[in-house]
Amino acid sequence: MTRTVLLVDDDPHIREVLAFAFDKAGFEVRTAGDGEEALADVTRHKPDLVVLDINMPRMDGLEVCRRLRASDDVPVLFLSSRDDEFDRVLGIELGADDYVVKPFSPREVVARANAILRRSARSDAPAAQAGGATVEKGLLSLDTEGWLARWQGAEVALTVSEFNLVRALAGAPGRILSRDQLIDQLHGPGFAITDRTIDSHIRNIRRKFGDVGAHDVIETRAGVGYRLGTCNGVAKSGG
């Protein structure tokens, strides 16, 4: 089934270059020149992925992502300038799945988009098969086929990358995984993202679980990495 990507950038040249690359890769391509147009397009056409520039007039990409996450779980790939690491990290914390730094190769953008879509399994396929592969630890339950995380039966809405991080930690009970190991789990060996991206995802996961009273889902080992917590609902001081 043909996947649809929405390209959002106020630079028509960037839209044109990316549209060509995605079209060549077999995507149906839609474009928007600003944030307001992008939000309207997502509502009307429900793309499989949004490629979103951070720095745009009228409504920047961060605000677009914030509004999308209030009502939609469509995967988001940010386009970011080299000098705005704070914005990139904030974008991840708002729920973006990944980012590419400008100047970029159109092939890299398409490759990262494909990686997000492979991880997301957003297809209409039988998430219906839910109930097959379930990982449980304490009060935490992960439905790995339905891509659902639950705490005491209540769903916790995670992005694709967040879900994969929790699943990676749950798949290594008792082990501490370094940031490099977690990057490999998300993207494969040699994928160029920073440690801060992993840290931002972890903060986001903790916040979301904290909102439902879960404060012991992930433990930090300073200077080493992260591991799955006890998941019994009791925060461990200093963890």
Side-chain angles (χ1 to χ4, degrees):
M1 184 168 57
T2 302
R3 297 159 299 175
T4 301
V5 60
L6 173 62
L7 307 176
V8 188
D9 198 300
D10 61 315
D11 185 331
H13 175 68
I14 289 178
R15 294 199 304 272
E16 181 181 353
V17 168
L18 287 178
F20 178 80
F22 275 98
D23 180 71
K24 189 175 179 182
F27 283 78
E28 178 181 336
V29 178
R30 301 190 60 80
T31 62
D34 60 57
E36 293 177 355
E37 184 182 349
L39 290 173
D41 195 280
V42 169
T43 299
R44 288 194 304 269
H45 300 288
K46 303 294 183 186
D48 296 295
L49 175 77
V50 177
V51 177
L52 181 59
D53 184 34
I54 287 182
N55 296 313
M56 294 185 295
R58 299 177 61 189
M59 183 188 298
D60 66 18
L62 296 174
E63 180 60 22
V64 173
C65 186
R66 183 181 291 110
R67 295 192 186 191
L68 283 176
R69 283 294 168 260
S71 59
D72 201 299
D73 64 351
V74 59
V76 173
L77 172 63
F78 266 130
L79 304 178
S80 169
S81 300
R82 285 194 182 280
D83 58 355
D84 59 1
E85 182 180 12
F86 173 78
D87 283 348
R88 296 199 302 271
V89 171
L90 179 57
I92 294 296
E93 292 179 348
L94 288 173
D97 292 278
D98 202 353
Y99 64 82
V100 176
V101 175
K102 296 178 179 179
F104 51 74
S105 157
R107 290 179 61 186
E108 180 188 3
V109 178
V110 172
R112 294 214 182 193
N114 277 320
I116 291 172
L117 290 170
R118 281 195 302 270
R119 297 197 308 268
S120 73
R122 276 176 61 83
S123 58
D124 298 326
Q129 296 174 13
T134 301
V135 178
E136 295 184 343
K137 173 68 181 292
L139 302 176
L140 172 69
S141 174
L142 301 177
D143 174 359
T144 61
E145 291 184 353
W147 291 75
L148 294 174
R150 295 185 176 91
W151 182 262
Q152 289 186 291
E155 183 178 345
V156 179
L158 301 179
T159 67
V160 172
S161 296
E162 293 162 3
F163 183 89
N164 274 300
L165 276 174
V166 177
R167 183 169 64 172
L169 294 171
R175 288 176 50 203
I176 299 171
L177 298 183
S178 70
R179 291 168 178 82
D180 285 343
Q181 288 174 311
L182 290 171
I183 290 171
D184 289 350
Q185 292 271 3
L186 287 183
H187 302 284
F191 207 80
I193 65 173
T194 69
D195 289 355
R196 289 194 62 184
T197 300
I198 295 296
D199 294 342
S200 297
H201 282 312
I202 295 292
R203 281 196 298 271
N204 225 24
I205 293 166
R206 283 176 166 155
R207 175 181 58 78
K208 290 180 176 182
F209 276 98
D211 288 344
V212 296
H215 301 288
D216 60 339
V217 173
I218 297 177
E219 294 181 5
T220 302
R221 286 295 176 266
V224 184
Y226 300 99
R227 73 177 177 185
L228 192 69
T230 56
C231 299
N232 60 17
V234 179
K236 181 178 178 180
S237 56

